[in-house]
Every structure is written in C-alpha cells, then in structure tokens.
Amino acid sequence: MIKEIFTPLTDEVISGLTCGQMVHITGEIYTARDAAHIRMMELINSGKPLPFDVNGAIVFYAGPSPAPDGAVIGSIGPTTAGRMDLHSPKLIECGLKAMVGKGLRSDAVRQAIVVHNGIYFAGAGGVAALMSKSIKAVELVAFEDLGTEAIRKLTVEKFPVIVAIDSKGCCVYDRA
Amino acid sequence: MREVNVEQIRDVVAQLCIKACVEVPCDIRSCMENALEKESGIAREILQDMLKNQDIAKTDRLPICQDTGMVMVFLDVGQDMRIVGGDVEDAINAGVRKGYEEGYLRKSVVGDPIRRTNTGDNTPAIIHYQIVPGDRLHITVSPKGFGSENMSRLKMFVPGVGIDGVRDFVMETVKLADSNACPPIIVGVGVGGSFDKSALMAKRALLRPLGQPHPDPYWAGIEAELLERINATGIGPSGLGGKTTAMAVHINTFATHIAGLPVAVNIGCHVNRHEEAVL
C-alpha cells in the first residue's frame, strides 16, 4: 500500500509514517547536495539567512543531469546521503523536517531525527530517468554557479520514496 | 604502418560516452531479468523499477542515472599502428566534452580536489594506456559513478593472511558499502601486483563481461563462493533487502613480491556503465 503525502509536511503526518513504508510525495522539495550544504553551513555559521526557508522543508540530495530541449529536467535521483551527515543535524535543528537520499546515515543524524520529529526517505539509486517523470516544474533558488549542485525548488507529483528512518529512529537498513 | 587520426578518436569517445550513459550493457540487463525471477516483495519492485528505468532511458535518450560519472578511458594501442593528427589526450578530452554536451550528461568533475570548482565539461578523463600486439586501437569508455567508487577499498596485507584474508576483506567492503553503492553491484577485485597494480586490476575486472569466470579454476571457485556469500547478506536491491546484492564477483590476479599481498576492491553500481570500440 502506497501512502500519499503532501507538502508542507505536518508533525502529525511524519509521526504516522513507519520505516519501510512506501510513500508518494506531492508538493515542493529542494535539491541540495555536497557543495550547497557547505555553503549553507557557512551562512548559518556567520548568522546569515539561508536561501530558502528550511522550516518544515524537504531536502532532496540530488544533482540533476541537464534538461534536454523542451523537458523540465534531465535525469534525477538520490545521491549517497551519508556525505551530508556532517551537516544534517544542524539543519534539522534549524527546522529541516525531511531528507531524501540513498544509503546509510550516522547515529547523530538518526538522533536528530528522533529529537526533532524528522524523517529520512530513501529512493532507489540509479532509476533516475524514471524518477524524472514525477518532476513537474523546476525553479533555480540559489548558487547557480554550482551547476548541477545549485539549490533548486522542484514541484513533484507522486514522487516515489520509502521511509528509511522514521521519527522513532527505526531504520530500514538495519540488518538482523 | 596503419594510422588512426585523433579526430576519429574524439568522435568515437563522444559516442561511447553517450551510449554508456543511456544504454545498459546487455549482459547486465539479462542478469537483472534473471534476478527478478528469484525475488519477491520490495526487492522485486525495485528490480522492476530498474528495468523500467533502463527502458525509459534508452527510448528517451536520458541518462540511466543522473550521476553520469567521471570518465575512465582504457586505450589499448596496437604496437603496429600509430596515432596521427594531434595529441591523443587532448582528443580524448575533446570527445568527453562533446559527448557530455551533446548527450545532456551531467558534468560532475571538479578541477582541484580541495578548492572544487566544476570544470564545466566533465573533463579531464582518467586515461589508462596499454601497448598491445596488433595494429588496432581498442577504446573502452567507462563513466564511473562515485556512489560506488567511494565505497571501494585497498589494503596491503601480509602474505600470512592467505585467501581467508582476501575473502574477509571483500566481504567487509561489501558490507560497509551496503546500500550506498547502489546494489545489485559488480565487485571487481585485484589481488597481487603492487599498490597501484591491484587497484587497476580491480577496476579492469569491472569491465569483464558477466558470466565469464576467471580462467584459473581456483580463482573461478573463489569468485563463485564470494558471490554466494555476498548474496546471502540480504542487503538486496537498493539495500532494501533481498537475495540479489551482487550480480558478479570478478577477480584479477598478478604476481607479487615475497613480502606482500595487495588486495583492492572496486565496486560498480547496478548500471556499471562501459562501452567499447575498435578502430
């Protein structure tokens, strides 16, 4: 059974999701990966505002391939989330609610998710042509000079993910 | 003496870059179709999505994965031919530039590893040259994604650890990689040689066609045993559980020093892009 959810995510919706559950997200999400995270941390550390309101937001760890003529976006899919572990607890503290990536997270991230009622979704890696079909609109938000690593607002419809770490800290990758 | 012009090399590299990024090699495709029959539940759904994704990518000429990699080029140069018309390295990089621009492929290369400014055209490629018998030029292009590359490891063992040390290191590497490397993976292993030789053997092992074991029955046996053990971990497609964690284990070996036992493990994701051409 696939659960349909909509942005902005409420605490109630997040609490109701359990690890391993398949979910479709409809609404707005923001791309940010390695370089964008480094820049966001610099802004936070110098007390400057972030380029988008992270409060209640969903960040998608992804850098799309260029859009062919007439398309809104090229291929897009989750990159390894673990590389953002360094920065995620701080962003969660600042209000970030959900992350979409692939692969394992650190204990610190899991802890921050539990404390702040957050959630980590995973997508299948390498199904990026298929995933691009659920992106309906793209808007550049910040750091254009970073190319694929710029922050973009994506309007998504039935964007397919799985709950990888739920708000209680249960993780789909935990092996018996 | 047979001549090949650099312009031809440039154009072939460009074509191979695009083809490798939008079309999955047929051995991988059929291996995944076979795996589908053994899976149920989430693992089956993920494999179905991977196959569906391959179809969309091929039809729409979209990259299979948004990470279209850093380009590895293996150039086997026949000793009875010569390359004319310019600098071969410039030609290869011009081919990468052309392929990544015309194919709408992602530019994922930064010029300096610490200061990290994107080069904007996915150059430079990493090129491995080899002089071989004959008068042909064999070009293999492998755009390597870094989700899997990052999970690769190398260790200089002492000879005393023997085959158990090799086995344990491969298993440990696969378990550490877990979902990060985009399973079902291909595991390339280089055993012996030197520090650099083992890494290159592991990388070349990823290029070997699936279903082609090591010619030495001893090593073919180790490959089969490791594949079985890896698939018994239960990591499964995308790390979400299942019987298919790896599609193959390929081991390449070479003579080594009396004091050493280098072991390198290079992991390829489920796309394991590579295409080749002979000029």
Side-chain angles (χ1 to χ4, degrees), chain A residues 22 33 63-69 75-78 80 102-104 124-130 133 148 162 172-173 175, chain B residues 42 45-46 49-50 52-53 56-57 60 62-66 104-107 147 150 178-180 182 235 238-240 270:
Chain A
M22 292 174 83
R33 44 170 296 151
S65 65
D69 296 337
S75 291
I76 187 163
T80 307
K102 69 169 167 83
L104 313 173
V127 293
L130 178 63
K133 303 297 176 196
T148 185
I162 186 164
V172 76
Y173 300 121
R175 313 275 169 222
Chain B
I42 184 82
E45 286 188 41
I46 297 284
D49 276 355
M50 285 173 179
K52 203 201 281 182
N53 180 62
I56 294 172
D60 294 0
L62 278 171
I64 304 154
C65 178
Q66 77 288 342
Y104 295 95
L105 308 179
R106 195 179 81 180
K107 288 78 182 173
N150 277 340
D178 201 277
S179 50
N180 291 9
C182 289
I235 292 169
S238 289
L240 295 169
H270 65 82

Side-chain angles (χ1 to χ4, degrees), chain A residues 27 29 72-73 134-139 152-156:
Chain A
I29 63 177
V72 289
I73 201 163
S134 56
I135 315 291
K136 301 303 169 192
V138 179
E139 185 190 317
R152 293 176 172 86
K153 183 165 83 176
L154 309 181
T155 305
V156 298

Side-chain angles (χ1 to χ4, degrees), chain B residues 6 9 17 21 48 58 62 76 90 113 120 138 140 169 185 193 195 218 220 223 259 263 270 277:
Chain B
V6 288
I9 296 174
C17 285
C21 287
Q48 270 166 343
K58 194 171 174 181
L62 278 171
D76 291 353
D90 288 348
H138 195 126
T140 303
F169 186 65
I185 54 176
F195 182 79
Y218 172 80
E223 287 176 345
V263 183
H270 65 82

Side-chain angles (χ1 to χ4, degrees), chain B residues 43-276:
Chain B
R44 192 175 165 83
E45 286 188 41
I46 297 284
L47 287 176
Q48 270 166 343
D49 276 355
M50 285 173 179
L51 290 166
K52 203 201 281 182
N53 180 62
Q54 291 171 11
D55 294 336
I56 294 172
K58 194 171 174 181
T59 312
D60 294 0
R61 306 310 287 171
L62 278 171
I64 304 154
C65 178
Q66 77 288 342
D67 182 0
T68 49
M70 184 171 194
V71 181
M72 313 287 141
V73 176
F74 297 85
L75 208 64
D76 291 353
V77 186
Q79 65 186 30
D80 299 323
M81 64 150 297
R82 55 192 216 110
I83 296 166
V84 298
D87 184 308
V88 66
E89 194 172 318
D90 288 348
I92 289 170
N93 284 323
V96 170
R97 193 173 296 122
K98 185 170 150 76
Y100 275 68
E101 197 51 45
E102 292 174 2
Y104 295 95
L105 308 179
R106 195 179 81 180
K107 288 78 182 173
S108 314
V109 174
V110 291
D112 180 280
I114 297 299
R115 288 165 290 180
R116 306 191 78 82
T117 301
N118 197 301
T119 61
D121 58 8
N122 221 51
T123 67
I126 293 174
I127 310 168
H128 297 289
Y129 300 95
Q130 194 167 265
I131 308 288
V132 297
D135 63 356
R136 300 281 150 177
L137 183 69
H138 195 126
I139 307 175
T140 303
V141 168
S142 173
K144 188 71 170 73
F146 263 53
S148 54
E149 191 73 0
N150 277 340
M151 305 319 292
S152 305
R153 294 161 86 219
L154 190 152
K155 189 165 175 176
M156 305 300 285
F157 282 98
V158 297
V161 303
I163 192 64
D164 286 342
V166 176
R167 283 194 189 101
D168 290 350
F169 186 65
V170 173
M171 290 308 299
E172 191 184 71
T173 303
V174 169
K175 285 178 189 168
L176 284 170
D178 201 277
S179 50
N180 291 9
C182 289
I185 54 176
I186 314 288
V187 184
V189 186
V191 182
S194 52
F195 182 79
D196 51 323
K197 176 76 178 175
S198 65
L200 189 53
M201 285 195 293
K203 177 130 278 147
R204 279 190 181 267
L206 296 179
L207 306 176
R208 194 201 298 169
L210 301 187
Q212 189 181 303
H214 194 287
D216 178 341
Y218 172 80
W219 286 106
I222 304 288
E223 287 176 345
E225 183 208 318
L226 281 171
L227 179 62
E228 205 180 310
R229 280 179 63 184
I230 289 167
N231 285 332
T233 59
I235 292 169
S238 289
L240 295 169
K243 299 178 184 123
T244 320
T245 301
M247 290 187 271
V249 177
H250 291 164
I251 303 175
N252 281 346
T253 54
F254 198 75
T256 192
H257 189 276
I258 49 173
L261 176 52
V263 183
V265 183
N266 193 204
I267 298 185
C269 66
H270 65 82
V271 178
N272 197 39
R273 285 168 288 243
H274 58 94
E275 285 293 333
E276 54 186 50

Side-chain angles (χ1 to χ4, degrees), chain A residues 22-104:
Chain A
M22 292 174 83
V23 173
H24 279 164
I25 303 171
T26 296
E28 287 171 353
I29 63 177
Y30 294 87
T31 64
R33 44 170 296 151
D34 307 65
H37 272 75
I38 291 169
R39 290 213 185 155
M40 285 197 289
M41 294 317 282
E42 284 166 1
L43 290 171
I44 290 173
N45 291 336
S46 55
K48 290 181 186 148
L50 291 172
F52 66 98
D53 186 8
V54 291
N55 232 314
I58 303 180
V59 160
F60 180 22
Y61 302 138
S65 65
D69 296 337
V72 289
I73 201 163
S75 291
I76 187 163
T79 193
T80 307
R83 293 196 313 273
M84 270 53 77
D85 284 354
L86 217 55
H87 317 298
S88 299
K90 187 76 202 171
L91 287 171
I92 294 169
E93 245 175 66
C94 292
L96 178 71
K97 271 292 169 192
M99 299 153 282
V100 181
K102 69 169 167 83
L104 313 173

